[in-house]
């Protein structure tokens, strides 16, 4: 593919923007098609870059992919900052904590699993935990500390990506695509909406709703933790991602209810109930925003990256990990545009793994209209 | 006072707008001074017109005042509708319910108190209560039904008042008053902010914060009650005011924390917890808005209506009852402008009751700069 090829990116979330920026910087003529770039699930997200504390036993490919992308994050953030806008990378690390005995057992299993994988994990207890994070409540008796799991201000990141795209010559077409736009190569990166754009993706990508609250410590109230805190409370997972000295993002519920972005009263209450077990002062925080986004779920929690047919690439299905995986996804998409191999960790995420299963990976434009 | 007098109304909430409309319709040349008319506490409110279910033993003057204003509400609403915009009066009535045994004892005392006062009150129990309001939860075993306590869509009301003001020739000056504007008569109607505008009001009017949620029944979820439901849950009061077939306003917390309109996480959680005891489906409702307003509290829960000095009137301190009391307050202010007696129920609310107590009711402009 020649460097002057016209590339149409469908979707201006974190994945689409990262790919557009990298492609434009490499010399491709890129247009991003999105009625509202930088909104959607990327805007709602918490911004954790936490492949280690996110891992589920049996999902080692997800961990390897996330870890490979996390390795690229400091350079990615530095390049964005050099392009003009700091994306707000936070390097204080992550704690995973548990509240009830059953939650602590789950945490112990995670610790053992990570130790077997050779990951850098410490256990903090008692006084050392209080000293590290004095705002944590008495129900939190121990924590797994994962200093390598980071976070980023997702909204600063989107602003930085939009600025970098513009600086690199990316054009924006502010409309929703009903059909694939005309271009030498189309990249489908429309998140949860991608399934409607190509027959090969039908039934492969489903919206997984997540509700997220944004809170601010009021005057005289203990500030949020300095690290990201992931918690298991009564079997449910929640996270607290600090933004600045006073602000914190609290997430996230998980529902599979179609294309619905209502924030439910029950979801808000559950997040606040669970967070208060971890951070007792949170009742005194100002609730600044409640919002919901649609994660693009895939059948196996790995994204779908690759070629659907000649001239049509895809990068979606990043589930909870879109922001974490943006640098590596953009690198893989650039490799696909150039016709060179993708990074090895991306191979398990190649869309070809679903060949022959459901609709994924068709090999001719005609098939799209049939499905 | 001649009918062509220039009247400056400081404050464009429900009280200021109602007074401005009535005065302009009576021939006064009225200007409303407010940086954002129709916002503030009136915008946040629930819109209950419920003097009977709001009553506290020992506050019979508050009840008499509220009942006299409620009597005027149907005519007031009809005149606003005739002026072009329907304020959304709802006449389904009000239920007061209790959840815990101690709450039921409080409800019984309220019922006995209202019976002694000769108010129209029914008790609904069991099957008749379920038939009347099927969305109420099993914890609600009985209810006092007060068919005469109504509600209004506070935001439709503000729109209707703004429209009626404009039709009647009221002018708007969109700036905040630091000093009293030049006019033949100034009416101070700046709600919780009134205390800063005149020495006589200093220490008399305090902001009482209230948090209010707006929710919507999602598809497949039981709709809100058809009546306003006031509840006592674990000693706390909350209310649910239906807006249309799906929407409901849930309020209100009460804090005395100065001029602070943060919505707190703890306040939201408490409202949702309490409301779920009353309306179990509420967890499935969409949380569309959370907001906080500042009620203008007075020392005795009666408003302050009257003359502070020649050429300076006041109508503030309406506490939780500003919307209920708007018609009667406007009528009283028009009487003051015309130099005729106010309606008898307003006499206990006259500002002169505080003469000699604190700063209220000074008798010369010079004193203002001293306090």
């Amino acid at each position: 593919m020649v460097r002057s090829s016209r590339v149409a990116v469908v979707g201006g979330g974190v994945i689409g923007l990262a790919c557009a920026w990298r492609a434009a910087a490499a010399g491709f003529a890129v247009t991003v098609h999105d009625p509202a770039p930088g909104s959607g699930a990327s805007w709602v997200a918490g911004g954790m870059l936490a492949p280690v504390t996110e891992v589920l036993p049996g999902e080692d490919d997800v961990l390897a992919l996330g870890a490979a992308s996390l390795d690229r994050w400091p350079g990615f953030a530095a390049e964005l900052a050099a392009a003009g806008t700091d994306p707000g990378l936070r390097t204080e690390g992550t704690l995973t904590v548990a509240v009830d005995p059953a939650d602590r057992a789950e945490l112990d299993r995670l610790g053992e699993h990570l130790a077997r994988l050779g990951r850098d994990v410490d256990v903090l207890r008692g006084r050392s935990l209080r000293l590290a994070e004095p705002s944590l409540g008495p129900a939190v008796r121990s924590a797994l500390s994962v200093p390598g799991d980071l976070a980023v201000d997702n909204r600063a990141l989107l602003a930085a990506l939009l600025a970098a795209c513009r600086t690199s010559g990316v054009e924006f077409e502010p409309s929703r695509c009903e059909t694939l736009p005309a271009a030498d190569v189309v990249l489908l990166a429309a998140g949860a909406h991608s399934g409607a754009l190509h027959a090969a993706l039908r039934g492969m990508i489903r919206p997984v709703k997540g509700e997220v609250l944004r809170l601010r410590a009021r005057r005289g109230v203990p500030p949020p933790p300095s690290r990201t805190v992931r918690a298991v409370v009564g079997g449910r997972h929640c996270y607290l991602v600090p933004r600045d000295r006073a602000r914190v993002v609290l997430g996230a519920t998980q529902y599979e209810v179609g294309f619905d972005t209502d924030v439910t009263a029950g979801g808000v209450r559950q997040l606040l109930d669970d967070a208060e077990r971890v951070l007792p002062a949170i009742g005194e925080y100002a609730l600044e925003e409640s919002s919901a986004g649609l994660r693009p779920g895939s059948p196996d929690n790995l994204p779908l990256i690759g070629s659907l047919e000649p001239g049509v690439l895809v990068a979606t299905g990043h589930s909870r990990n879109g922001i974490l995986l943006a640098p590596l996804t953009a690198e893989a998409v650039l490799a696909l545009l150039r016709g060179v191999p993708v990074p090895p960790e991306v191979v398990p995420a190649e869309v070809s793994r679903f060949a022959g299963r459901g609709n994924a990976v068709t090999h001719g434009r005609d098939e799209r209209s049939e499905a």
Side-chain angles (χ1 to χ4, degrees), chain A:
Chain A
M1 217 163 287
V2 293
R3 281 162 60 98
S4 61
S5 293
R6 290 179 310 135
V7 177
V9 178
V10 181
V14 67
I15 295 295
L17 293 175
C19 293
W21 170 43
R22 292 305 209 189
F28 291 90
V30 182
T31 302
V32 171
H33 298 255
D34 193 314
S39 64
S42 305
W43 176 256
V44 173
M48 283 186 295
L49 309 174
V52 173
T53 45
E54 181 84 19
V55 72
L56 297 174
E59 293 195 343
D60 295 345
D61 284 344
V62 177
L63 173 56
L65 186 73
S69 197
L70 180 59
D71 287 345
R72 285 150 171 89
W73 250 100
F76 187 79
E79 281 186 72
L80 280 171
T85 306
D86 190 321
L89 183 66
R90 292 195 59 141
T91 57
E92 290 87 346
T94 297
L95 293 182
T96 295
V97 306
V99 164
D100 294 327
D103 301 329
R104 282 196 285 274
E106 181 178 335
L107 192 63
D108 291 344
R109 283 193 299 274
L110 176 64
E112 288 159 17
H113 182 69
L114 293 174
R116 273 195 304 275
L117 293 173
R119 295 282 159 184
D120 181 16
V121 174
D122 301 319
V123 176
L124 289 178
R125 289 184 208 282
R127 186 172 160 78
S128 62
L129 178 57
R130 302 288 148 225
L131 284 170
E133 295 295 352
S135 63
L136 297 181
V140 179
R141 307 247 195 87
S142 67
L144 282 183
S145 171
V146 181
D149 269 6
L150 311 181
V152 67
D153 181 335
N154 61 310
R155 295 180 179 181
L157 169 64
L158 289 166
L161 284 169
L162 285 165
C165 279
R166 291 200 181 91
T167 305
S168 306
V170 173
E171 302 205 338
F172 287 87
E173 174 55 46
S175 56
R176 179 175 295 281
C177 292
E178 306 293 342
T179 56
L180 298 197
D184 298 312
V185 183
V186 174
L187 170 65
L188 298 178
H193 302 281
S194 301
L197 291 167
H198 197 285
L201 299 175
R202 200 157 306 167
M204 289 285 152
I205 303 297
R206 65 190 197 285
V208 182
K209 177 167 134 178
E211 293 160 324
V212 173
L213 308 182
R214 288 177 149 75
L215 301 115
R216 170 176 46 79
R218 301 165 71 225
R219 210 159 28 152
V221 173
S226 61
R227 296 162 180 81
T228 296
V229 175
R230 303 178 60 108
V232 194
V233 183
R236 290 179 300 275
H237 291 250
C238 73
Y239 56 76
L240 290 153
V241 189
R243 274 294 181 267
D244 55 30
R245 282 184 196 169
R247 288 189 166 77
V248 66
V249 181
L250 166 61
T253 58
Q254 194 152 321
Y255 311 94
E256 308 224 0
V257 286
F259 289 92
D260 158 27
T261 53
D262 283 341
V263 175
T264 64
V268 170
R269 204 172 59 143
Q270 181 199 303
L271 285 171
L272 292 176
D273 280 345
D274 292 348
E276 190 168 48
R277 299 289 305 279
V278 178
L279 183 66
I282 209 158
E284 294 299 315
Y285 279 39
L287 178 61
E288 295 197 317
E289 187 187 318
S290 46
S291 48
L294 299 172
R295 310 172 187 93
S298 78
D300 58 2
N301 285 341
L302 279 167
L304 275 68
I305 298 173
S307 176
L308 292 175
E309 61 176 286
V312 180
L313 303 179
V314 65
T316 189
H318 291 74
S319 303
R320 299 182 301 268
N321 300 312
I323 292 178
L324 167 66
L325 297 177
L328 185 59
T329 301
E331 191 175 317
V333 166
L334 186 57
L336 293 167
L337 286 171
R338 287 169 161 164
V340 302
V342 299
E345 298 88 352
V346 178
V347 171
E350 280 190 319
V351 67
S352 56
R353 71 188 183 278
F354 293 115
R357 184 179 150 191
N359 289 309
V361 193
T362 60
H363 294 285
R365 284 185 177 260
D366 289 340
E367 294 185 31
R368 257 188 291 148
S369 53
E370 291 170 12

